[in-house]
Amino acid sequence: MTRRDVNSSEHDIYYRRYLDKLSEDTELKSGFKSGKKDVINFFRKIPQKKLEYRYQPEKWSIKEVLQHLIDTERIFMYRCFRIARRDISPLTGFDQNIYIKPSRADEKSIDQLLYEYEVNRNNSINILLSLSDEDLAFIGNSNGGAMSARAAAFTIIGHDIWHMEVIKEKYL
């Protein structure tokens, strides 16, 4: 299954910003595996002195951005899993900003955050490996709109790329 398989009726227009970061040929399961390496390598190369940097006082630090990637993946894989299991219950959205402070990301080392990221990504990969293409094509209701399980999953990969680009542009 590739990014090309996801059509616009499977997600809210908001998620297009993340999905468009992916090549049409991006394969879902291998994209999660290669994305894991890309994210880990990217964050490992950031100088220690930059990890708690904020380009504006109210913006997240780089560590907080990494924690945001972890938290968002947890939420979107939960959505993916429930939708793939044919759960048609409306899934609520979340306020990403309230998650940061209680995460205490800046108190964690980069090694702790990357370990958390890797464990979480490995879990996501295992979930995806357990789902068929038919499961992933199922469309449920997330945050008030239609979302397929595969759109939720592909959004995660594009979301990682989006934030790494923001870090390159505004933090480094």
Side-chain angles (χ1 to χ4, degrees):
M1 169 175 305
T2 66
R3 163 64 183 90
R4 179 179 298 106
D5 297 316
V6 180
N7 66 62
S8 61
S9 67
E10 296 180 40
H11 58 83
D12 185 273
I13 191 74
Y14 175 83
Y15 300 111
R16 192 94 190 152
R17 68 179 68 198
Y18 306 125
L19 295 168
D20 285 349
K21 295 291 178 187
L22 305 173
S23 153
E24 292 286 311
D25 297 325
T26 301
E27 196 279 324
L28 184 60
K29 295 165 188 172
S30 63
F32 263 73
K33 292 174 186 175
S34 63
K36 178 176 79 170
K37 291 177 193 166
D38 293 343
V39 168
I40 290 170
N41 290 335
F42 176 80
F43 281 93
R44 284 220 182 275
K45 290 179 182 174
I46 297 174
Q48 187 72 29
K49 65 183 181 184
K50 283 284 199 175
L51 293 172
E52 293 178 28
Y53 171 74
R54 301 165 194 277
Y55 67 91
Q56 290 180 4
E58 72 281 0
K59 296 297 183 180
W60 298 338
S61 70
I62 290 175
K63 283 183 178 180
E64 288 171 335
V65 172
L66 178 53
Q67 185 69 63
H68 167 69
L69 297 182
I70 296 164
D71 290 349
T72 300
E73 181 164 337
R74 287 174 171 144
I75 290 165
F76 273 75
M77 278 311 296
Y78 174 73
R79 291 174 181 180
C80 171
F81 180 73
R82 283 193 53 189
I83 293 167
R85 288 290 199 250
R86 312 307 195 270
D87 187 340
I88 58 170
S89 304
L91 301 171
T92 61
F94 74 107
D95 181 348
Q96 63 189 10
N97 291 310
I98 64 171
Y99 279 59
I100 293 301
K101 187 176 180 181
S103 78
R104 297 180 302 284
D106 282 338
E107 296 173 21
K108 299 175 185 178
S109 71
I110 191 64
D111 289 335
Q112 288 172 309
L113 284 164
L114 287 172
Y115 178 75
E116 187 176 345
Y117 172 84
E118 188 170 18
V119 167
N120 189 57
R121 177 54 60 99
N122 288 340
N123 182 60
S124 297
I125 291 167
N126 283 321
I127 290 170
L128 291 172
L129 292 173
S130 77
L131 301 173
S132 70
D133 286 352
E134 183 182 337
D135 297 332
L136 289 163
F138 191 78
I139 298 175
N141 182 317
S142 179
N143 202 22
M147 178 170 270
S148 67
R150 63 188 175 194
F154 275 115
T155 296
I156 294 166
I157 307 170
H159 181 255
D160 288 351
I161 294 167
W162 172 280
H163 280 288
M164 289 188 293
E165 289 176 355
V166 168
I167 289 171
K168 286 178 197 172
E169 179 185 324
K170 297 187 180 218
Y171 289 81
L172 302 178

